[in-house]
Amino acid sequence: MKKIFSILMVAFAMTAMVACNDDNNSNNNGGNNGGGTPDPGTEQMDALAETEWSYSEGDELMLDPYRYVDVILGKHHSIVYGDNNHLSEPAVRVSAYGTYTYDEATGTGTATLKDQDDDHTLGTATFTVNGEEMEFSFNGETFSMRKVEY
């Protein structure tokens, strides 16, 4: 039950961030900010926009002990990162957001992450994408993630 609640909270947070971002961009005359210059947000899409990647370890039913790490890459280079680690005692949960850059030619990227609760910077993550797989490194750990298909 704890795991389901955690997943739902990350999903709600991502939905709220995307919804707020879409509202702010929908009132700028179709990508024009009124000054004759295109909205820079409309030019910041890449192959990873609107994808989700996950890593899981432990109990498949997400009962203790388990660990679930999730990365959601949104429009305009936004990122949401969640780590629910119930393999450690006590359980550790990290919920972060930020921005990322991605070089499609090399399949590599970086992300700057901030704590979702108090906005302090948590650090920089690096990642490499190869098809449906992503190697995501953050805070000294590397996760082999799979793309989530809906």
Side-chain angles (χ1 to χ4, degrees), residues 35-138:
T37 307
D39 179 2
T42 60
E43 299 172 7
Q44 297 180 1
M45 298 293 282
D46 62 39
L48 297 182
E50 299 181 332
T51 61
E52 182 174 357
W53 307 80
S54 69
Y55 164 86
S56 63
E57 179 180 354
D59 190 336
E60 288 182 19
L61 297 176
M62 294 185 197
L63 302 171
D64 290 342
Y66 73 92
R67 185 171 192 179
Y68 184 80
V69 181
D70 191 49
V71 172
I72 301 171
L73 303 171
K75 293 180 182 179
H76 314 298
H77 292 217
S78 65
I79 182 172
V80 174
Y81 169 83
D83 182 356
N84 288 302
N85 186 354
H86 290 256
L87 295 175
S88 65
E89 187 62 41
V92 177
R93 293 181 186 91
V94 176
S95 182
Y97 73 97
T99 57
Y100 73 92
T101 60
Y102 178 63
D103 181 354
E104 290 184 52
T106 62
T108 60
T110 61
T112 302
L113 297 173
K114 293 183 178 184
D115 188 290
Q116 196 158 345
D117 294 328
D118 62 13
D119 290 331
H120 79 271
T121 301
L122 295 176
T124 301
T126 59
F127 58 91
T128 303
V129 176
N130 184 7
E132 303 289 305
E133 297 183 4
M134 174 190 284
E135 291 291 318
F136 190 87
S137 299
F138 182 60

